[in-house]
Amino acid sequence: MTRSTPAAEHPSDVARSTADAAPATADAAPATVAASPVVAWAPRVPMHATRRRHTLALLLLCCGLYLPVMGSYGMFDPWETIYTEVARQFMERDDWLSPYWHNGVGPEGWSETDFWSKPVGSFWLSGLFLKAAGLERPITLRGTGRSLDDPVTGPRHAPSGPDPGERLTNGGVEWVVRLPFFLCGLFGIFGVYLLGARLLGPRVGLLAGIVLASSPIYFFITRQAMTDMPYVGLLTGGIALLVLALFGATEPIPRRRWQLGRRTVELPAATSYWVFVAAFVALITLMLTAIVPALLPVPLPLQIGGRSPSAALVMLLYGLVALVAIWATRKTATKNEVYLWGFYLAVAASGLAKGLVGALQPGLIVLVYVLVTSEWGLLRQLRLGPGLLIAGTAFLPWWHAMALAHGTRFLHELIGTEQLRRLTIGEQSQAKGTWEYYLQQLGYGFFPWVALLPGALGRLLAPPTPGPRSARARVQLFCALWLVAVLLLFTMSITKYHHYLLPALPPAAILIAIYLDDLLAGRVRALGASVLAAGGLLALITIDLYSQPAHWVWLFTYLYEDGWQTGTPEGLLMLGYGAAFALPLTALLWRRLRLRGRRHDAAADRRPGWIHAQCLPAALRAALEPEGGAADLLSPAAGTAGAARRLAVQLARGNLVHRRAGGRRQEPGRRGDSQVAQRARRAPLLLHHRARALSGAAQHAADRARAQLAAHRRRLQPALRAGRSEDLGPKQARSALVGEGGRGGR
């Protein structure tokens, strides 16, 4: 293979670069990209560059918030210990295919050895980190010496001997087990940050990341070894990549030609593309490494030469399909397509952690958006062919291998009982609620940011402006429908748990970040009403949390109302937390109202009545000066040959009378004549200094205007000396200032 060379530009590359450079605003419809499969048929948002200081600040915030005490508390939730033991059994039994629970008794009391209630993704993560840290020996309950294999009846270790529980007193095992779940949560946080920063502005992205990272339920569950964070974190990052691909402006990537003997191959040369390829290859390699050894003794239900081949041969076919999927992406020409490939890979990995609810949820969100907006052309941009090939290759091998090894019994339990039955019939009696269940949990789990959510959603209910929806509005609508679709999906589900709320938090964080950005920029109308509504909602939730602080503990524990009411945070802590959020909100309201008052006064001073009253006398006096006063006045505003004449016309269109800020008529002598005279004296001096930097064309236009004004100065002198401008009507003043020859110049 010889040295690579940049691919020469061809017409499609030129057309693509031209199409990307064409739109100058966020609402402009870009031209169609000739050779790119991502067709820009609707308005797209120009991509902003992420700021390095924002990225570093968000990373330091998350690490400082999550990591320091992540291993300082034990695995008190029963499922956290069970999931960790399932991960350890991979190493104990040297079988990374079949999740296994050695205890032999299920959570409802039935005999159980296989653990098929959840897919394998989160167990693989815990097992890999345990193995990398050298924690392959039996894990014991902290300080008891009893093994998790049988924590109730198992024998205690001799007091004289080493207690394996001592390994847990420093929090090492908890920290190691929870670390991959923190990384998944971090992936989700940076997903919303990237979406906001690139499409809606750097400040929106930073605010979205901070809001999501500081949400109570997201914070609590990210610091637990539970299956929910791999599902939610990977799903959030994947949907963020999808939004960037569909709504962001097309970004071409460089391509290079590689000489392979006599054959020339042209491949993408962007780092982002090869990061996707590396992640895809790593996932397939690790998956096949875990699956193939366990399938070697499993025969296929067919005979070849009198013998049944091993089921592991089927898994090798997935490796070949993975190579085909990579080859199908070799013509990637834009970064939008790279985002699409990353979306399909992230969603497939999310499905490995939670099942069909993670794999199919993005399709539901896109379908809802298309039904609401009728943007059916959006489906053509999904590149379903290569995309489903990538997702299927990453999602199906483990499911197929388990079906080969255990038959339909595995599919009936994991898909029938744990997925479909929970959604339609209900699988556990304590996990039920009414239609407002997740609205209540949203108040507790998204506190205190939830106080701003009604204002953020209310702005989307305003009547749309005439014409097509802007690109920024499309992104906001997608995030709102993302939130609504997730809430409706789990509200319709018969089985309800607190942590099912997690997928609704990322779109809510983005909407609140947009709202906060508009608040800081002063773009929110009815600010007082919005802040009062947010304060009222904040007060209601704060009082509820003060009366029962266990609401926060129940967010990340399995046995909800049956326990955990002792040892909960003090109610005063909830009051202080709510007050800490309310004070900046009040300060922002006060600051916005003061600035709005100042802007109102400044806007009143800039009204045409003030301009006519204060500037026109100075203009007329300057016009009567023998030494080029008109040029000093008119030339700063004259950027072209006709600008000076247009300025004179605009000044002459008023009634040439003094007006208050409210627009009412006032006699010249009844207002502060000293202020008028002072401003009239300052105006020619200021304009004289600005006139020194004018171009030749502007000077020429000013000279022409001065000549026209000088021709009529004798007529204007009596009216000026009398101080009464009512003698001249608007048409007479325009004729006097501009003259009949000025019309032809326009």
Side-chain angles (χ1 to χ4, degrees), residues 22 104 122 356 402 460 665 680:
S122 58
L356 298 179
M402 286 292 291
L460 296 174
R665 200 179 281 268

Side-chain angles (χ1 to χ4, degrees), residues 24 33 66 69 74 103 171 180 187 193 197 208 220 249 272 333 337 345 443 554 557 585 614 649 729:
V33 180
Y66 287 86
V69 293
N103 194 33
F187 185 78
Y193 162 71
F220 292 144
S272 57
E337 295 173 86
L345 182 60
W554 294 335
T557 54
L585 196 64
Q614 310 299 333
V649 171

Side-chain angles (χ1 to χ4, degrees), residues 454-619:
L457 291 174
R459 302 182 67 199
L460 296 174
L461 300 178
T465 58
R469 187 178 288 108
S470 67
R472 182 184 176 94
R474 294 174 69 219
V475 176
Q476 295 183 49
L477 180 60
F478 184 91
C479 293
L481 294 177
W482 177 4
L483 170 63
V484 172
V486 172
L487 288 178
L488 286 179
L489 172 64
F490 291 107
T491 299
M492 293 171 60
S493 173
I494 302 301
T495 303
K496 291 180 173 63
Y497 283 112
H498 298 66
H499 52 266
Y500 286 4
L501 176 70
L502 270 176
L505 263 61
I510 296 172
L511 293 173
I512 288 177
I514 297 172
Y515 186 66
L516 282 174
D517 182 65
D518 291 340
L519 276 177
L520 295 174
R523 294 190 294 264
V524 176
R525 298 181 179 179
L527 179 62
S530 300
V531 174
L532 288 177
L537 182 59
L538 180 67
L540 290 176
I541 301 174
T542 303
I543 293 173
D544 200 4
L545 288 173
Y546 173 76
S547 60
Q548 182 54 275
H551 282 302
W552 269 9
V553 181
W554 294 335
L555 291 176
F556 60 103
T557 54
Y558 176 68
L559 300 175
Y560 300 133
E561 286 77 5
D562 295 337
W564 307 110
Q565 297 190 25
T566 59
T568 57
E570 296 293 336
L572 292 177
L573 177 63
M574 303 301 177
L575 292 178
Y577 194 46
F581 182 79
L583 289 177
L585 196 64
T586 305
L588 177 63
L589 173 62
W590 177 254
R591 180 172 178 267
R592 286 291 108 197
L593 291 178
R594 290 188 62 187
L595 289 178
R596 181 171 294 182
R598 293 176 182 175
R599 290 174 181 174
H600 178 76
D601 295 339
D605 289 342
R606 291 193 297 269
R607 288 182 179 179
W610 183 91
I611 295 176
H612 297 158
Q614 310 299 333
C615 297
L616 190 56

Side-chain angles (χ1 to χ4, degrees), residues 193-213:
Y193 162 71
L194 186 66
L195 188 157
R198 298 225 62 196
L199 294 183
L200 303 169
R203 185 166 62 181
V204 175
L206 181 61
L207 289 173
I210 293 174
V211 169
L212 183 60

